[in-house]
Amino acid sequence: MKSFGLFVGLLVAAGVAAAPGKDYEHKVKESVAPPRGWTKVKPAPADHFIDLRIGLPQPKFHELEQHLYEISDPFHERYGAHLSKEEVEALIAPHEESVSAVDEWLASYGFASHELSRSSAGDWVKLRIPVSLAEEMLKTEYHVWQHEESGDAVVRTTSYSLPEHLHVHIDVVQPTTTFARMRGMKATYHYADEEARVVNIAQPTIPIPSAYNGQVNSSCNGSLTPTCLRELYNIGDYTPQAADVNKIACTGYLEQYANFEDFNDFNAKYLPEAINSTFDVIYINNGSNDQSLDAAGVEADLDTQYAFGLSYPTPATFYTTGGSPPFIPDDITTSDSNEPYADWLSYILNDPNPPQTISTSYGDDEQTVPYSYATRVCRELAQLGARGVSIIFSSGDNGVGDGDSDPATQECYTNNGLNETKFVPAFPASCPYVTAVGATWYIPEETYFISGGGFSNYFSRPLYQDIAVPHYVKNLGNTYEGLYNASGRAYPDVAAQGQFFWIFSGGENFLIGGTSAAAPTVGGIVSLLNDARLAKGLPALGFLNPLIYAIGAIVPDAFNDIVGGSNRGCGTEGFTAEVGWDPVTGFGTPNFGKLHDIAVGNIGGLFDF
């Protein structure tokens, strides 16, 4: 049913004047340089509809952050005392003055307060309005912009204004200045076209001291299955015990569909104990999950087959969120939604009982997301962590670069109009409230050169990195000085195998890889750790990073340290994988057996080693 506000918007789009509004004096709220790699095509159609999101300030967020770090710190007495949905919302709710000021402004355009769509905490207001009305409200001009390399198109502006008195009551308005394409892991998956190493058939196993029974089948070197990963990461025959309470999920965007027939074929060949198992699908913002084989998504199949395969029989969910670029900028297509990530966040934050582990293999260059919006998205992820959810992201497949050309030769520039040469961090991997996963390959494990890693230009180094990261930076010396932000949040945090994964997709069986293989692998392992804790009546792990960095400092053999190799990009060799933490593979790959013993031990206070 159309709201009165939307009806007014339609009148404006048709050239009919809305009710007289208050004559507010506007001031520029945000302005960005024309983005590199994008071309302004033409003015946006006046009747093109956008879902305008208005973010109100969260004055108590610093209190939420303090709670998050206390309940995620394994040395703190509150470890594991996760907050409820209602407690989190109380900490991020805006002041009533902000709500009233924004409501009054919107009322001047005919939007009654009770007709507005709001988030549960009231910190977001959402309007579906035509471009013509958005241009009037924000004193701006929208255009169709096209990404030169991919052909993706979006309706955006490079500057918008708000009434001056509202600047303290509104943090951000989008979609306006964000040019993120939220790449569906063309940035973070690669077909396994690298030459596989010849397996020595005279050596049936490869000795790996940290592996299950100290060895891995030699067939796993360049040919990975769930069985290989269970051996390599010392999972062995661990069987979930808390399937009644534990849950795991993967997210899907950009028309990436998880195919049930492919899932069954995968299980039949590689995980026979899971034959006839399935997963739930939740549809968000008109999402779909087309089951025709030619619509099967490689990314979606990879995520579900490995995250859900490693954690079987833990109940699993695939979130499919509608809205995807490219928007076709013609005069017939008058509506698009190419910021699906915001819709997923809105849904999951409103879920009173979200899965304890969620893996996402999508991301973009940090600099394509305006700082104001990246900050808000990152804070949404902090809310999930405070509620006991482990959020896992792939770190990207472009080394230290931006992925617009060969990683070894690409030239990387800032997106601020100055064209400075800089390494290009990824987002949301650079958010300090998520766990970012880099990539290794081969057995014994080596650095996979595509592994995204580096230092955020938006987010400062969090406290949990105050030992590991400065040590690396000090040893780096003047190398790459000026190319990265040495005081920024560093990533990835951990790594896993990221190449030569056997999957089924579209009815075909083939190899694939990338950090979008590493992320669901870590997701599956984290879900098993959550299972072990829940089975003992302990709370789920929640936000992982403070624990990871504590373990990395005290029990380093809980991760398999990767030394040597680098994540090349921007015409450089990139950062080098060193002893301990590094911005290529983090602390290394997981040793489930060691992590399991830590997870079910005296983790609520001091470690008992």
Side-chain angles (χ1 to χ4, degrees), residues 117-129:
S117 175
R118 304 179 193 269
S119 61
S120 296
D123 57 329
W124 286 100
V125 177
K126 182 177 176 180
L127 310 168
R128 184 166 175 77
I129 59 176

Side-chain angles (χ1 to χ4, degrees), residues 248-253 303 307-308 317 319 344 357-362 390-394 437 515-524:
I248 185 173
C250 294
T251 62
Y253 306 96
D303 287 343
F308 302 165
T317 299
Y319 295 104
W344 178 78
T357 309
I358 302 177
S359 176
T360 298
S361 296
Y362 298 78
S390 298
I391 302 293
I392 295 162
F393 276 89
S394 54
V437 183
T515 54
S516 58
T521 296
V522 169

Side-chain angles (χ1 to χ4, degrees), residues 360-431:
T360 298
S361 296
Y362 298 78
D364 207 347
D365 301 338
E366 184 183 72
Q367 66 179 2
T368 65
V369 186
Y371 173 77
S372 61
Y373 190 53
T375 299
R376 285 298 294 245
V377 169
C378 194
R379 289 183 172 190
E380 312 268 281
L381 296 166
Q383 294 176 47
L384 288 172
R387 291 173 58 187
V389 181
S390 298
I391 302 293
I392 295 162
F393 276 89
S394 54
S395 69
D397 284 4
N398 304 312
V400 294
D402 64 1
D404 279 346
S405 59
D406 187 304
T409 60
Q410 64 190 207
E411 296 180 338
C412 304
Y413 300 101
T414 58
N415 209 29
N416 58 8
L418 301 178
N419 283 338
E420 300 167 306
T421 300
K422 295 273 190 180
F423 290 162
V424 183
F427 182 79
S430 65
C431 172

Side-chain angles (χ1 to χ4, degrees), residues 575-590:
F575 296 109
T576 303
E578 304 288 351
V579 174
W581 180 90
D582 54 69
V584 188
T585 59
F587 280 109
T589 61

Side-chain angles (χ1 to χ4, degrees), residues 258-274:
N259 188 274
F260 289 112
E261 183 175 339
D262 287 332
F263 188 73
N264 290 332
D265 289 345
F266 177 84
N267 288 336
K269 184 168 183 177
Y270 301 117
L271 204 68
E273 64 269 31

